[in-house]
Amino acid sequence: MAANALALQQFADIDEAEIETRIRAAREKLGERVVILGHHYQREEVFRHADISGDSLKLSRYAAQSKAEYIVFCGVHFMAEVADILSRPEQISILPDLAAGCSMADMANLAKVERAWRELNEVLGDADQAITPVTYINSAADLKAFCGRHGGIVCTSSNAKQVLNWSFAQREKVLFFPDQHLGRNTGYGMGIPLDEMVTWDFTQPMGGLTAEQIKQAKIILWKGFCSVHQMFQPQHIDAFRAKYPEGKVISHPECSFEVCQKSDYVGSTEYIVRTITAAESGSRWLVGTELNLVNRLAERFKAEGKHVHFMSPTICMCSTMFRINPQHLLWVLENLVEGKVVNQIKVPPEEARYARITLERMLEVSP
Ligand code: 13P
Ligand code: SF4
């Protein structure tokens, strides 16, 4: 590890143009042995090197099909874990900076979810008979494995509705973690009233709920959230509409219920890209998602006369996605050229086995 860190230091002082040239050269040498996957939130200097870009669902599908020896994931930790779980055993998943996590994913962990399950058991008799555990893909592999052991499933922001339909066909209730907003927005969109969705405060015994509240609930929502998407507020939408009454508003489902209710469209990052790509020239958009993606859309569609605005008046970026910089990308690629693997993401086999069950279930029910 220390040797790796030292090697990485050598990349800190190289100028941008040289980094760019060397990334391209290393890529060329590696040819089809490597595929670079880039999430839409990646900074431009990294994003432009992606062979495939997309949202979590599209990138996990790609990882499951890729034949490349090395999958370099320009995204965050859980994404590289999913690539490792879904790819063949001999393929290697790499995350250029191991510090690229997801603060929302960290809001749930196995100990807390197992405690919640035990407490729900006390109220409902047998939680395994009563509840389908659903984890958002933004979660650690051991939570996906937990869902695998308890008849549950994974979802992304693109397939949450199909996943919830599947879940309710198995059992009458859902425990949804870690993002309360995706769960609430999706459940409400399917016709579940707000008072049948309770919030599980994982810092409180019994989630801060009464036995009666748990018995009445259809969805139990983990009290997690995304620190980036919580910055968007209904008043930002009101101010935009007052200024541009003809403008359209599009938001990611990790935004609050109030923001999603005020939006014209709600969907994953890939859906946002697709919707604005298909929009008429001259249209104006307020977008509630991460800044790097919104800036890219604004730049890309300027020439077509489309106006793309960022929803928050303050800068809010995903700081962990931003950890992946061109230096780290170059470092992993040049090491691969030398035959060395750095920053491999390897999920323990037993955990991977159960997590894979839930991910494959998800892929089956996805549109
Ligand atoms: P998408 O699957 O919509 O790309 O979302 C991933 C994410 O982390 C959003 O914050
Ligand atoms: Fe996690 Fe939010 Fe960053 Fe997405 S934007 S990776 S949910 S912290």
Side-chain angles (χ1 to χ4, degrees):
M1 192 67 195
N4 286 347
L6 265 180
L8 180 58
Q9 278 228 319
Q10 299 161 10
F11 292 79
D13 300 326
I14 310 174
D15 72 51
E16 270 176 41
E18 186 183 338
I19 298 249
E20 176 79 16
T21 314
R22 281 171 58 179
I23 289 176
R24 291 193 189 282
R27 287 262 13 219
E28 207 162 306
K29 280 192 193 134
L30 290 161
E32 291 184 357
R33 294 173 64 207
V34 69
V35 65
I36 301 178
L37 304 185
H39 186 266
H40 289 303
Y41 294 164
Q42 287 294 295
R43 52 166 95 190
E44 193 48 38
E45 316 86 90
V46 169
F47 189 81
R48 68 169 81 107
H49 296 291
D51 298 301
I52 305 287
S53 61
D55 63 3
S56 311
L57 179 63
K58 182 173 163 190
L59 295 176
S60 24
R61 273 201 177 116
Y62 194 84
Q65 289 159 6
S66 162
K67 301 215 168 5
E69 234 172 284
Y70 307 113
I71 301 171
V72 175
F73 217 123
C74 296
V76 287
H77 193 269
F78 72 83
M79 297 180 177
E81 278 188 337
V82 169
D84 177 54
I85 295 164
L86 289 176
S87 57
R88 292 190 313 279
E90 64 278 14
Q91 289 175 294
I92 289 177
S93 173
I94 292 170
L95 182 66
D97 185 343
L98 295 180
C102 164
S103 54
M104 176 215 278
D106 294 341
M107 289 178 190
N109 63 33
L110 190 59
K112 286 186 183 137
V113 170
E114 280 180 337
R115 194 189 80 185
W117 203 252
R118 278 195 304 275
E119 291 176 337
L120 289 167
N121 249 314
E122 283 169 27
V123 176
L124 299 169
D126 184 358
D128 281 71
Q129 296 299 315
I131 312 175
T132 305
V134 178
T135 186
Y136 188 21
I137 198 164
N138 295 39
S139 57
D142 58 0
L143 288 181
K144 296 182 176 85
F146 173 91
C147 290
R149 290 194 176 92
H150 294 275
I153 189 165
V154 179
C155 78
T156 76
S157 57
S158 320
N159 58 21
K161 183 173 163 215
Q162 289 79 4
V163 166
L164 283 186
N165 275 329
W166 180 90
S167 304
F168 286 122
Q170 315 305 311
R171 291 168 209 94
E172 59 170 295
K173 293 184 196 295
V174 160
L175 172 64
F176 191 97
F177 44 90
D179 185 25
Q180 58 174 305
H181 300 297
L182 177 63
R184 187 177 293 110
N185 288 323
T186 311
Y188 190 79
M190 292 165 66
I192 301 174
L194 287 180
D195 60 8
E196 290 182 22
M197 294 187 272
V198 292
T199 311
W200 182 273
D201 181 347
F202 50 84
T203 64
Q204 303 286 326
M206 207 71 97
L209 298 168
T210 63
E212 207 45 43
Q213 284 174 309
I214 292 168
K215 284 182 190 153
Q216 297 294 324
K218 198 112 180 84
I219 307 187
I220 300 157
L221 300 162
W222 198 261
K223 203 178 176 181
F225 59 88
C226 166
S227 48
V228 177
H229 289 85
Q230 72 157 1
M231 302 291 281
F232 306 121
Q233 301 292 328
Q235 59 269 29
H236 302 150
I237 301 182
D238 295 341
F240 174 79
R241 292 213 193 272
K243 200 161 172 196
Y244 305 109
E246 79 299 347
K248 298 275 182 232
V249 179
I250 188 164
S251 303
H252 195 278
E254 286 174 15
C255 293
S256 70
F257 179 72
E258 294 72 21
V259 164
C260 289
Q261 285 300 301
K262 278 186 180 263
S263 300
D264 299 298
Y265 305 90
V266 176
S268 78
T269 56
E270 187 71 14
Y271 172 84
I272 293 172
V273 173
R274 247 188 290 125
T275 307
I276 299 183
T277 306
E280 285 172 12
S281 162
S283 55
R284 189 175 293 277
W285 293 86
L286 182 70
V287 186
T289 199
E290 206 269 347
L291 185 63
N292 280 287
L293 171 55
V294 181
N295 281 346
R296 184 175 312 116
L297 290 170
E299 197 51 43
R300 181 171 154 199
F301 292 114
K302 205 161 51 182
E304 291 177 31
K306 295 180 202 173
H307 309 279
V308 177
H309 303 239
F310 186 55
M311 194 177 283
S312 170
T314 53
I315 292 175
C316 43
M317 277 194 331
C318 178
S319 56
T320 47
M321 285 274 182
F322 199 68
R323 303 245 6 159
I324 311 291
N325 59 20
Q327 288 81 358
H328 280 87
L329 180 58
L330 177 61
W331 175 62
V332 299
L333 292 176
E334 289 195 342
N335 269 290
L336 289 178
V337 170
E338 296 288 313
K340 283 182 257 164
V341 172
V342 289
N343 284 10
Q344 178 176 4
I345 301 297
K346 186 88 200 122
V347 177
E350 190 59 6
E351 206 168 289
R353 188 161 78 87
Y354 282 101
R356 191 181 175 110
I357 296 171
T358 54
L359 285 161
E360 285 176 346
R361 233 172 235 162
M362 172 194 85
L363 293 175
E364 268 169 39
V365 305
S366 295

